[in-house]
Amino acid sequence: MELAINSGFVVDLEASAQTILDRLVSDELIDKSHARPLISGVDQLESIKILKEERQFGYSLSHWTIHTDNLTKIQIASEVIRACLLYTSPSPR
């Protein structure tokens, strides 16, 4: 994470554990153990919650956070572009 932060602009795409699980199920990635081996156990929702908790400090180092629970893929992409533009635009004097 330190390398990423020092090398560029890092955007954290934040979502609730339930949203993450719902997205994985809808994309049919949850049943492919090779796609998400860390959450292939019995209680997938709990596995996601634990992973999010373990990784939260790293996520908090991001330059920008976008809460994606209620956004479409297009809206998320638009927000990433907006964040990049805001972050890289020169500040007024």
Side-chain angles (χ1 to χ4, degrees):
M1 189 61 169
E2 184 179 337
L3 178 61
I5 293 292
N6 293 327
S7 299
F9 178 64
V10 177
V11 177
D12 169 28
L13 301 178
E14 182 65 34
S16 70
Q18 186 62 56
T19 296
I20 293 169
L21 181 60
D22 292 345
R23 288 176 179 165
L24 291 170
V25 168
S26 71
D27 290 343
E28 297 179 357
L29 292 175
I30 201 71
D31 295 325
K32 300 176 183 174
S33 60
H34 65 279
R36 298 289 180 185
L38 295 178
I39 58 168
S40 61
V42 175
D43 190 346
Q44 296 158 339
L45 184 60
E46 186 61 26
S47 295
I48 293 168
K49 288 177 183 178
I50 291 168
L51 285 172
K52 282 178 57 69
E53 185 177 315
E54 290 173 353
R55 297 172 178 179
Q56 189 55 49
F57 177 74
Y59 297 154
S60 73
L61 300 175
S62 300
H63 296 101
W64 202 274
T65 299
I66 299 170
H67 297 275
T68 66
D69 287 295
N70 298 310
L71 301 178
T72 66
K73 292 175 185 178
I74 297 295
Q75 290 170 323
I76 294 167
S78 295
E79 286 298 306
V80 170
I81 292 167
R82 186 175 75 83
C84 290
L85 292 173
L86 288 171
Y87 187 78
T88 59
S89 63
S91 59
R93 294 180 184 220

